[in-house]
Amino acid sequence: DTEVTQTPKHLVMGMTNKKSLKCEQHMGHRAMYWYKQKAKKPPELMFVYSYEKLSINESVPSRFSPECPNSSLLNLHLHALQPEDSALYLCASSQGFRAIGEQYFGPGTRLTVT
Amino acid sequence: GENVEQHPSTLSVQEGDSAVIKCTYSDSASNYFPWYKQELGKRPQLIIDIRSNVGEKKDQRIAVTLNKTAKHFSLHITETQPEDSAVYFCAAVSGGYQKVTFGTGTKLQVIP
């Protein structure tokens, strides 16, 4: 199984809502990533988890809260978002620390903040 | 931090012609250089990659070259087909945690 899955596919939320994005992989990968992609722009790295520990936080606002409950799951908790946070949120996974190789991307969650 | 520049931003070619996309990076510690193809509304998908100890790699119609001294790498697509139309991103990867920095993207249009 070489697939990364993400749910939901689409999400519309108000600025006062709390919601979560979910990502799952069963490839035995030990590094997982969250990216944000605005239209016609490249993916921007938000967070990296390595062996279930947060390794990189690219100065992301605290209204985005990542969580890695186990080696297969990655969540992104959303609270008090702004309209400019509307974007495609991509999850990815790779083998792990110092393992040079492909990052596998999920299909993304299209988030709209109203 | 790493900075990756990519050119051109748009590229139109006739079917059957070749396409070349160029990238430069700034961090000499970067050691892995993947290229991703992203079709509209879909996820980025790896099409080819190269490691820092290799100068060139080819996979059928696609090739990548790397000049570590100049910090340049390029994607070459030969015999282009309409299904090659997409946005292509180069990237540079560094560090034990595999931090990926993407280029700004090239929108390739192959005209039948």
Side-chain angles (χ1 to χ4, degrees):
Chain A
D1 182 4
T2 58
E3 191 177 12
V4 177
T5 59
Q6 288 186 246
T7 55
K9 288 185 180 179
H10 301 275
L11 178 62
V12 179
M13 61 185 289
M15 289 190 284
T16 58
N17 291 158
K18 285 185 181 181
K19 296 286 184 183
S20 296
L21 309 184
K22 181 180 173 181
C23 173
E24 195 165 1
Q25 58 88 14
H26 295 287
M27 294 178 277
H29 288 172
R30 303 311 298 269
M32 296 185 77
Y33 309 76
W34 279 115
Y35 290 87
K36 173 183 178 180
Q37 187 176 25
K38 302 281 273 186
K40 300 184 180 180
K41 297 289 186 182
E44 290 180 41
L45 184 66
M46 300 174 72
F47 303 103
V48 180
Y49 272 83
S50 179
Y51 293 86
E52 296 102 70
K53 290 190 185 338
L54 183 63
S55 305
I56 295 177
N57 176 343
E58 290 288 90
S59 303
V60 179
S62 59
R63 57 186 185 268
F64 295 91
S65 176
E67 178 196 19
C68 189
N70 60 55
S71 60
S72 300
L73 280 175
L74 186 66
N75 299 321
L76 186 62
H77 303 298
L78 314 173
H79 173 56
L81 294 193
Q82 303 297 309
E84 58 265 28
D85 296 322
S86 298
L88 180 68
Y89 287 84
L90 292 161
C91 173
S93 71
S94 68
Q95 280 193 312
F97 186 74
R98 295 201 185 280
I100 296 175
E102 181 176 357
Q103 284 193 11
Y104 293 81
F105 283 86
T109 293
R110 177 82 53 194
L111 174 68
T112 303
V113 182
T114 60
Chain B
E2 176 65 278
N3 181 47
V4 179
E5 295 189 2
Q6 182 172 346
H7 299 281
S9 56
T10 60
L11 180 59
S12 290
V13 299
Q14 291 290 328
E15 182 177 358
D17 286 351
S18 296
V20 180
I21 302 170
K22 298 183 178 182
C23 290
T24 61
Y25 63 100
S26 61
D27 186 354
S28 56
S30 290
N31 55 8
Y32 172 63
F33 305 91
W35 286 87
Y36 286 89
K37 175 183 179 183
Q38 189 174 27
E39 297 176 23
L40 192 63
K42 299 200 173 175
R43 75 188 83 187
Q45 292 201 297
L46 183 77
I47 56 171
I48 196 166
D49 56 13
I50 191 165
R51 301 187 182 197
S52 58
N53 58 350
V54 175
E56 185 173 355
K57 184 177 177 180
K58 189 173 181 181
D59 182 5
Q60 299 184 335
R61 297 186 297 109
I62 296 173
V64 57
T65 58
L66 171 65
N67 181 330
K68 275 202 71 178
T69 304
K71 299 196 184 78
H72 290 171
F73 57 115
S74 300
L75 177 72
H76 305 252
I77 306 174
T78 59
E79 300 171 24
T80 53
Q81 300 166 4
E83 52 266 37
D84 294 330
S85 297
V87 178
Y88 291 80
F89 292 103
C90 64
V93 183
S94 62
Y97 297 111
Q98 300 301 290
K99 181 175 174 179
V100 181
T101 303
F102 284 85
T104 47
T106 297
K107 184 176 181 179
L108 174 64
Q109 182 184 20
V110 179
I111 303 164

